[in-house]
């Protein structure tokens, strides 16, 4: 799977941000502190992996995760993954196939390499100063969960 497009709405850092044609290679978003890099990383982590930003006292740790969408592509087609902020945190996620076909749970899991949803949030690090459950990653329990999803 590759990300083909990104669109953020309602981000103070990147209002109306759009990356319309992301190439197959590596894409890098860079800039000085407080310019929205973490906002973008948290948004991608939430949309792709269901990873919620840290919540403190019932509010988002940062100024609030924006609404927006990404378009992903794999060998079977193009899919739109969209985040809405119309319900309490962490919001609502939707997925739709751009060719109009019905999307089932197996489609999303296939897009994510058949890796278990239980381990994806820990593999996707957003804040490198504090990696969630970092002690779990080298454990036998993690290895068992990881290998059971990739089949080797």
């Amino acid at each position: 799977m590759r990300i083909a497009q990104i669109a953020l709405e309602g981000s103070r850092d990147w209002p109306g941000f759009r990356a319309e044609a992301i190439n197959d290679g590596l894409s890098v978003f860079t800039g000085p502190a407080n310019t929205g890099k973490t906002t973008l990383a948290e948004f991608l982590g939430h949309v792709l992996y269901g990873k919620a930003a840290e919540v403190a006292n019932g509010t988002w740790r940062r100024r609030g995760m924006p609404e927006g969408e990404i378009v992903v592509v794999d060998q079977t087609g193009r899919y739109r993954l969209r985040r809405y902020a119309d319900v309490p945190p962490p919001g609502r996620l939707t997925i739709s196939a751009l060719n109009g076909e019905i999307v089932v749970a197996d489609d999303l899991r296939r897009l994510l390499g058949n890796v278990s949803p239980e381990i994806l949030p820990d593999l996707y690090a957003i804040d490198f100063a504090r990696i969630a459950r970092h002690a779990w990653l080298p454990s036998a329990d993690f290895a068992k969960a990881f290998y059971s999803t990739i089949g080797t």
Side-chain angles (χ1 to χ4, degrees):
M1 169 190 77
R2 77 173 177 85
I3 298 173
Q5 297 174 358
I6 303 171
L8 297 181
E9 304 157 9
S11 169
R12 187 188 87 172
D13 299 320
W14 295 10
F17 171 77
R18 296 212 182 298
E20 295 286 338
I22 299 174
N23 294 326
D24 289 345
L26 177 66
S27 296
V28 177
F29 294 89
T30 184
N34 299 314
T35 57
K37 299 177 304 293
T38 300
T39 299
L40 179 61
E42 286 178 343
F43 172 77
L44 291 173
H46 185 64
V47 172
L48 289 171
Y49 307 117
K51 186 174 184 87
E54 187 175 309
V55 175
N57 300 324
T59 60
W60 290 101
R61 175 174 53 114
R62 303 201 189 277
R63 292 165 300 285
M65 191 179 299
E67 288 192 344
E69 65 184 43
I70 63 172
V71 173
V72 296
V73 179
D74 80 344
Q75 66 277 8
T76 64
R78 297 171 62 85
Y79 299 85
R80 174 174 287 118
L81 287 74
R82 175 126 179 97
R83 179 187 186 278
Y84 297 90
D86 57 353
V87 294
R92 178 172 55 103
L93 298 172
T94 64
I95 180 171
S96 59
L98 295 183
N99 65 4
E101 291 184 10
I102 294 174
V103 177
V104 296
D106 289 341
D107 292 327
L108 183 56
R109 193 161 181 151
R110 185 196 70 254
L111 286 171
L112 297 174
N114 291 318
V115 177
S116 166
E118 289 80 35
I119 63 175
L120 281 172
D122 290 311
L123 290 174
Y124 186 84
I126 293 173
D127 184 351
F128 294 102
R130 189 186 72 72
I131 299 175
R133 293 175 28 159
H134 65 280
W136 186 61
L137 293 177
S139 74
D141 290 337
F142 174 82
K144 182 179 176 183
F146 185 74
Y147 288 127
S148 73
T149 62
I150 62 172
T152 59

